[in-house]
Amino acid sequence: MTDHPLPFRDPQLSFALRTDDLLGRLTLDERIAMLHQFAPAVERLGLGPFRTGQEALHGVAWMGPATVFPQAVGLGATWNDDLVRRVGEAVGNEVRAKRAQDDRVGLNVWAPTVNLLRHPLWGRGEEGYSEDPALTSAIAVAYTRGLRGDDPHYWRTAPVLKHWLAHNNETDRDTASSSVRPRVLHEYDLRAFRDAVRAGAVAGVMPAYNLVNGRPNHVSPLLEQHLRSWTDQPLVVCSDAGAPSNLVDSEHYFDTHEEATAAALKAGVDSFTDHGTDSTVMTGRIRDALDKGLLDESDIDTAVRRLLAMRFALGEFDPELDPYAQVDDLDTEEHRALALEAAEQAVVLLKNDGLLPLAPGRGHTVAVVGLLADDCKLDWYSGTLMHRSTPLDGIRERYGADNVVHTEGVDRVRLKTSEGWLRVPEADGTQDGEARGAEGALDPALLAGRTDLPPLTCGDEATELALVDWGDGVLTLRTDEGLYLSVADDGYVRASADEPGGWVVQETFRMEAVGGHDGGHRLLHMGTGGYVSVAADGAKVAVSGEKISRDDATVFESETVEHGADAVARVAAAADTVIVVAGNDPHINGRETEDRTTLALPAQQDRLWRAAHAANPRTVLVLSSAYPYAVVDAAAALPALLWTAHGGQAAGTALARVLAGDVSPAGRLPQTWYASDDDLPGLFDYDVIGSRQTYLYFGGTPLFPFGHGLGYTDFTYSELRTELDGELLRVSLTVTNDGATPADEVAQVYVRRAGPVGAARPSPKGLGRLLGSLDDPTDLPLRKLVAHRRVHLAPGAQERLDFTVSREELGHWSVAHGRWTVEPGAYEILAGASSADVRLTATEVVDVEAQGPRPVVARGLEAVDYDRQTGTVILDRTKTEGDVVAAASAGEEGHLFYRACDFGEGVEGLAFLVSGEGSVAVTVGGHSLSTLFSGDQGPYAYRTVEAVLDLRGVHELRVGLSGSVRLARIDVIPRKESA
């Protein structure tokens, strides 16, 4: 034992022993206090305050100036693990540097987001890496290793993965439940978290707001059953903001906050993010739960032990030994160069008919037009820019300012009321505001709008405003000075914001036509829901906190001074080549709290590229956006098309270097670009298998496939070699640069079952879309990414690439046997430049014993282990564990299909474990019957309902559910032994 007076201070002891020593010295109140996000100091032991949670998705966020790297989806588009690891290192170092400047900066970083980009209309798609679990895992492992650092004992930062689990909708995000069948759970959603945790660079996870299978993620048994089974390292589970209260307030899953808090703590939540910096509410609930016997002190100790283990790993108690304690790398030359490199590598060339690269030349005029041509967009999780490069900036620098012409393409309007023209009065010169967020804030949602400027009024002279429709009729209005019309807490409308932003965006409006008034419109303020009224004291949307109603709104007449499309056409006609930059503002129409409604490019921006192309066929469309668009006409008509996520501080320079050919683009799409909204399933449909989602299952023709991306040279693939070596699949191939341009190539390796299962087929329609092929019992992916590598090759150079893949990647989760299964048979290994551009194919045969039919006599059937379903939903069996299946609609029957059920030598019937009331209909082995029952005692009051059936051999079992029936399990009734 140590002679140190405080063993937890003794660096010669293990972290585990020191943690136990410190835990034993803390009083109960001190331990409870540590369970809140903002844990107070324990001065008697020399412990400082500790905060969980520092946003660091693609740079240090919310804490003022920092290096801003491309959005996470842009990092995913690089397909470059090494690059992303270096970005993680830079971000981790800047967290450390800013921590040294400001002790509000936390070292427990809430990043990365590993939710899979299952649905392209999800508002937070910008935060994820890919629709594919393998690519997401690879990028997440790289980023977290960079954040963590490579010291064997101390961590640079402690990354927390977001958001556990199956979270892809902002609509009803805290009340909606994702139905996740076992195959989707094991093959898709868990996979994104599992590999990063197993890699050892993850300190914990954050549960998502939503429910999975009827149970809130914050009380999910999967946290213990899966997450903590993947590592021996103590993992900290941090709640999402306000989610503990949601368990009662919005989800109504528990009756009291004490019950909810106790359930979350027992399920594995360690740190409660609720009520901001005020810890008294949550600690009071924990204390009350303890007093009521809902918790034991051991539950509290388990959570505190994990939190303390993280603090030890971060070097809090050993500053003299912490190798990262003196890091001060902020905005270094290396970080600036890395931001540029990342932005360059994120650019995806979608189409090129030979127009690109566009070499700079004297007298060659380039028109740079579009709503994002002179903008460097940030998102909710960005830091404050220290450097800023827009596409216009970058192109002017690369091509020469004299060779570049520009127009934005906004519609310029004036608004008139019965009292005169809407105008922005001159400020009196005493205003003292600054850019929102420049000072840094623990919660930027609390940053208020400016009130030091005069509100808009009416007068004889109009202020011309730049009007942009971002889609769905959501408008912004901006002055020539670059200030957006915005609403502050006092309800007045001012020209005061540098950009749209904030948790509730205060810079968006919608025009509503007024019946009986030709050309008249009301102006609805989206952030407050109030209508604009212009009174003697100025324009406002609220009075004394009360929203102005539609009836009291001012009626405006809009006069268009110039259509943006006309300005674009004029500039395009005078140029040799046109670069149209379109896309989204990450704070509008697709962001946290708000899903998109369509894949279509907003109509105003669609008009701009069409106007440019009509005036000049040498038109390039650059989409700078957080998500895909269905730009079918543009892809058909234009000679060149590129996409990049919002690329951070170096976005414009990177784009210009790609356009000029200084860099050959080699970004690859991290998600499928669909051609139409009709190709999409419902936003709440999480069954990627049953509804044929993502490149894994989608059988239609996408606009651009997963993994797609072009460059300025040609690569050939050759000498594919594959070998099954025990539990490993070894793959090697050669990539050669056949062109005259040095460039990167991203080699991609996919696998699939050979034969009909893996063959491409059209997307099923109608019922077939839900059921798939009844002759295809496993619904295996059409192809599945198992390896990738980005390599740089000089002209004429080649490189031999070797990949080692676990044989498990050939398998799937068997619902028949409740385990991961690799079936015997032939498997194709596909190598190429995208999921659709396969250059080489090989076949390997797995020689193992087949699994056989479902052993229902021995194992029974969990209801959720179906092969197919229609019209059902998965719900919670109890509040703590298990799943059941019910009809999705009380008025319609839901159906479950279980294939190859082996009833052996014979059984006398089936026993259904159910709750609720209604009917269970059974079709099996030529028998059909329906059992009707009543007496609903509640959703968790289960009883057994028997159906007498003479069954033997192997049959498909079909079950119909109606009413409020919740089916938990099916067992057989064995034959009675004869006397």
Side-chain angles (χ1 to χ4, degrees):
M1 191 62 184
T2 180
D3 293 329
H4 201 286
L6 296 174
F8 77 88
R9 295 284 186 186
D10 186 351
Q12 300 301 313
L13 298 178
S14 69
F15 285 165
L17 289 175
R18 297 170 70 186
T19 298
D20 287 342
D21 177 72
L22 177 53
L23 182 67
R25 296 175 185 277
L26 296 169
T27 68
L28 177 60
D29 285 342
E30 288 168 344
R31 281 175 277 151
I32 290 175
M34 287 189 173
L35 300 182
H36 190 261
Q37 179 188 14
F38 293 94
V42 182
E43 294 181 0
R44 66 183 185 85
L45 294 175
L47 273 64
F50 185 81
R51 168 199 174 193
T52 58
Q54 169 62 56
E55 300 295 350
L57 184 60
H58 54 109
V60 185
W62 299 7
M63 298 309 300
T67 302
V68 179
F69 294 94
Q71 290 181 301
V73 69
L75 295 177
T78 70
W79 288 59
N80 190 333
D81 306 2
D82 175 71
L83 171 77
V84 174
R85 179 189 55 78
R86 289 186 283 126
V87 171
E89 289 175 354
V91 174
N93 283 338
E94 294 208 351
V95 170
R96 282 283 186 160
K98 293 189 76 67
R99 168 73 179 180
Q101 300 170 0
D102 184 347
D103 61 10
R104 298 179 304 164
V105 176
L107 298 181
N108 167 224
V109 294
W110 287 350
T113 295
V114 296
N115 297 107
L116 299 166
L117 306 184
R118 171 192 64 88
H119 203 293
L121 297 185
W122 181 38
R124 299 180 75 173
E126 64 195 18
E127 296 182 36
Y129 292 132
S130 173
E131 70 182 25
D132 179 72
L135 180 58
T136 294
S137 297
I139 300 298
V141 167
Y143 194 62
T144 53
R145 280 178 171 164
L147 289 170
R148 183 231 183 272
D150 54 11
D151 186 89
H153 302 293
Y154 296 99
W155 292 41
R156 179 186 282 118
T157 66
V160 163
L161 303 178
K162 301 194 295 187
H163 307 84
W164 178 283
L165 186 71
H167 178 65
N168 286 129
N169 57 277
E170 296 307 290
T171 307
D172 301 330
R173 66 176 182 166
D174 62 330
T175 56
S177 178
S178 308
S179 279
V180 182
R181 57 194 275 198
R183 277 201 58 200
V184 175
L185 177 70
H186 289 277
E187 297 174 31
Y188 196 66
D189 286 299
L190 287 179
R191 169 72 185 276
F193 290 84
R194 184 196 69 195
D195 291 359
V197 171
R198 286 180 175 175
V202 171
V205 304
M206 173 186 287
Y209 285 115
N210 63 301
L211 299 84
V212 169
N213 297 348
R215 184 182 297 109
N217 272 313
H218 281 75
V219 292
S220 172
L222 302 177
L223 292 170
E224 295 295 334
Q225 293 171 3
H226 292 288
L227 173 70
R228 289 192 166 114
S229 73
W230 297 331
T231 179
D232 294 331
Q233 174 187 313
L235 296 176
V236 171
V237 175
C238 300
S239 85
D240 209 338
S245 291
N246 290 347
L247 292 168
V248 175
D249 296 343
S250 60
E251 294 164 349
H252 309 299
Y253 199 72
F254 296 98
D255 293 330
T256 69
H257 286 293
E258 291 76 21
E259 291 175 281
T261 304
L265 196 61
K266 284 180 171 291
V269 175
D270 305 302
S271 178
F272 291 83
T273 313
D274 210 337
H275 292 83
T277 58
D278 179 8
S279 64
T280 60
V281 175
M282 290 309 303
T283 56
R285 291 172 182 173
I286 294 169
R287 168 61 80 174
D288 289 345
L290 190 64
D291 292 344
K292 293 177 180 179
L294 302 173
L295 286 174
D296 297 325
E297 281 195 43
S298 62
D299 298 316
I300 294 169
D301 290 350
T302 297
V304 174
R305 181 177 285 106
R306 293 175 186 140
L307 288 162
L308 290 176
M310 180 171 65
R311 294 173 68 169
F312 274 103
L314 287 170
E316 177 179 341
F317 304 103
D318 306 321
E320 70 286 353
L321 298 177
D322 179 2
Y324 308 110
Q326 303 303 317
V327 169
D328 60 357
D329 298 349
L330 179 65
D331 186 34
T332 64
E333 183 177 343
E334 290 78 9
H335 290 185
R336 293 193 292 271
L338 183 60
L340 175 60
E341 181 184 0
E344 291 171 351
Q345 293 205 16
V347 176
V348 181
L349 180 60
L350 298 172
K351 177 187 178 181
N352 186 24
D353 287 346
L355 180 56
L356 299 178
L358 185 65
R362 182 180 298 276
H364 185 97
T365 304
V366 179
V368 183
V369 303
L371 302 185
L372 276 72
D374 192 25
D375 218 331
C376 187
K377 292 293 186 185
L378 300 178
D379 61 30
W380 181 245
Y381 291 104
S382 294
T384 302
L385 289 169
M386 290 184 284
H387 310 280
R388 180 179 186 271
S389 174
T390 73
L392 180 62
D393 293 333
I395 293 171
R396 279 177 172 163
E397 180 181 5
R398 184 64 186 86
Y399 289 82
D402 293 342
N403 298 318
V404 177
V405 293
H406 164 66
T407 188
E408 187 179 8
V410 296
D411 291 339
R412 300 189 59 79
V413 302
R414 304 193 303 176
L415 299 178
K416 188 176 184 181
T417 75
S418 60
E419 302 298 322
W421 294 99
L422 189 67
R423 59 184 293 271
V424 177
E426 292 186 8
D428 61 10
T430 61
Q431 59 274 15
D432 56 2
E434 65 174 340
R436 178 169 45 199
E439 73 282 12
L442 288 175
D443 186 354
L446 303 177
L447 294 174
R450 293 176 61 177
T451 58
D452 60 313
L453 297 171
L456 274 64
T457 61
C458 283
D460 295 334
E461 295 184 4
T463 297
E464 283 189 13
L465 298 170
L467 181 148
V468 173
D469 185 338
W470 294 100
D472 294 331
V474 178
L475 313 175
T476 56
L477 296 159
R478 192 189 67 229
T479 68
D480 287 343
E481 290 73 32
L483 294 176
Y484 286 81
L485 301 197
S486 182
V487 174
D489 290 343
D490 60 4
Y492 284 93
V493 181
R494 297 175 174 87
S496 60
D498 297 314
E499 291 284 349
W503 183 250
V504 177
V505 177
Q506 299 293 342
E507 293 76 38
T508 53
F509 300 83
R510 174 173 282 131
M511 284 188 176
E512 295 183 356
V514 178
H517 193 299
D518 186 27
H521 293 82
R522 301 181 187 91
L523 201 57
L524 172 67
H525 181 243
M526 305 292 290
T528 60
Y531 287 82
V532 177
S533 173
V534 185
D537 59 343
K540 64 188 80 171
V541 298
V543 177
S544 300
E546 294 294 323
K547 294 183 293 187
I548 293 174
S549 69
R550 176 186 288 105
D551 294 338
D552 294 327
T554 295
V555 176
F556 295 93
E557 292 182 8
S558 177
E559 177 186 291
T560 300
V561 179
E562 182 181 48
H563 290 286
D566 293 339
V568 164
R570 185 170 60 251
V571 170
D576 295 288
T577 306
V578 186
I579 310 295
V580 181
V581 188
N584 76 306
D585 184 313
H587 289 92
I588 302 172
N589 285 4
R591 51 157 290 170
E592 185 168 359
T593 74
E594 185 179 355
D595 295 308
R596 285 198 294 166
T597 61
T598 179
L599 293 172
L601 190 68
Q604 184 172 351
Q605 300 194 67
D606 188 73
R607 290 193 295 270
L608 296 187
W609 77 255
R610 292 179 188 275
H613 185 243
N616 188 332
R618 290 173 55 85
T619 293
V620 178
L621 177 60
V622 176
L623 294 169
S624 178
S625 67
Y627 35 63
Y629 287 110
V631 285
V632 176
D633 289 351
L638 298 176
L641 182 63
L642 301 95
W643 170 73
T644 177
H646 296 289
Q649 66 186 45
T653 301
L655 177 62
R657 284 172 50 78
V658 168
L659 292 172
D662 303 327
V663 176
S664 179
R668 299 292 185 262
L669 291 181
Q671 61 188 130
T672 303
W673 281 44
Y674 297 95
S676 166
D677 291 340
D678 295 337
D679 291 332
L680 302 180
L683 183 66
F684 297 99
D685 186 348
Y686 280 76
D687 187 357
V688 296
I689 300 173
S691 54
R692 318 306 295 172
Q693 299 180 44
T694 78
Y695 85 98
L696 293 164
Y697 299 100
F698 180 64
T701 302
L703 179 61
F704 298 109
F706 173 78
H708 172 72
L710 306 175
Y712 296 152
T713 190
D714 295 317
F715 292 90
T716 57
Y717 288 65
S718 62
E719 301 176 298
L720 175 64
R721 301 284 185 270
T722 64
E723 178 189 10
L724 274 173
D725 181 10
E727 295 302 311
L728 299 176
L729 170 64
R730 302 188 187 278
V731 181
S732 61
L733 57 93
T734 299
V735 178
T736 303
N737 183 351
D738 290 329
T741 302
D744 287 4
E745 172 70 343
V746 180
Q748 303 169 38
V749 180
Y750 298 84
V751 298
R752 68 182 180 190
R753 280 289 295 273
V757 171
R761 53 186 180 268
S763 287
K765 305 296 182 183
L767 183 63
R769 181 179 177 88
L770 294 175
L771 293 183
S773 168
L774 294 179
D775 297 324
D776 178 5
T778 53
D779 280 338
L780 295 181
L782 300 173
R783 86 288 288 162
K784 181 176 80 167
L785 182 73
V786 294
H788 69 276
R789 190 167 304 153
R790 182 165 177 154
V791 294
H792 184 79
L793 293 175
Q798 64 178 218
E799 185 167 337
R800 188 72 180 167
L801 304 180
D802 297 304
F803 303 95
T804 301
V805 179
S806 171
R807 195 184 71 165
E808 282 191 355
E809 295 293 346
L810 302 178
H812 67 281
W813 181 260
S814 169
V815 290
H817 299 275
R819 60 176 179 261
W820 193 264
T821 299
V822 179
E823 296 285 357
Y827 292 82
E828 290 182 335
I829 294 88
L830 315 171
S834 81
S835 61
D837 185 6
V838 175
R839 309 289 182 84
L840 302 170
T841 304
T843 302
E844 290 289 338
V845 176
V846 175
D847 185 14
V848 296
E849 184 177 348
Q851 297 295 309
R854 289 177 181 262
V856 294
V857 174
R859 296 185 68 241
L861 285 174
E862 292 294 322
V864 75
D865 282 338
Y866 52 76
D867 290 293
R868 302 280 193 280
Q869 66 82 30
T870 59
T872 69
V873 63
I874 305 175
L875 300 170
D876 54 331
R877 183 180 300 190
T878 70
K879 288 186 182 294
T880 57
E881 62 181 351
D883 298 320
V884 297
V885 184
S889 172
E892 297 182 11
E893 189 175 50
H895 299 93
L896 304 173
F897 301 78
Y898 305 86
R899 285 196 177 78
C901 297
D902 187 355
F903 297 100
E905 296 301 314
V907 300
E908 289 193 352
L910 300 175
F912 299 89
L913 183 63
V914 298
S915 68
E917 58 183 4
S919 67
V920 176
V922 181
T923 300
V924 58
H927 304 281
S928 294
L929 61 85
S930 180
T931 301
L932 182 69
F933 52 95
S934 58
D936 187 353
Q937 308 259 329
Y940 306 122
Y942 293 95
R943 57 195 184 278
T944 300
V945 177
E946 296 186 348
V948 178
L949 295 164
D950 182 14
L951 298 173
R952 68 185 64 225
V954 179
H955 302 281
E956 178 181 83
L957 172 64
R958 301 190 177 204
V959 177
L961 304 174
S962 62
S964 63
V965 172
R966 295 158 64 110
L967 175 63
R969 183 174 170 81
I970 306 171
D971 287 292
V972 302
I973 303 173
R975 290 190 183 280
K976 297 178 181 178
E977 296 290 337
S978 56

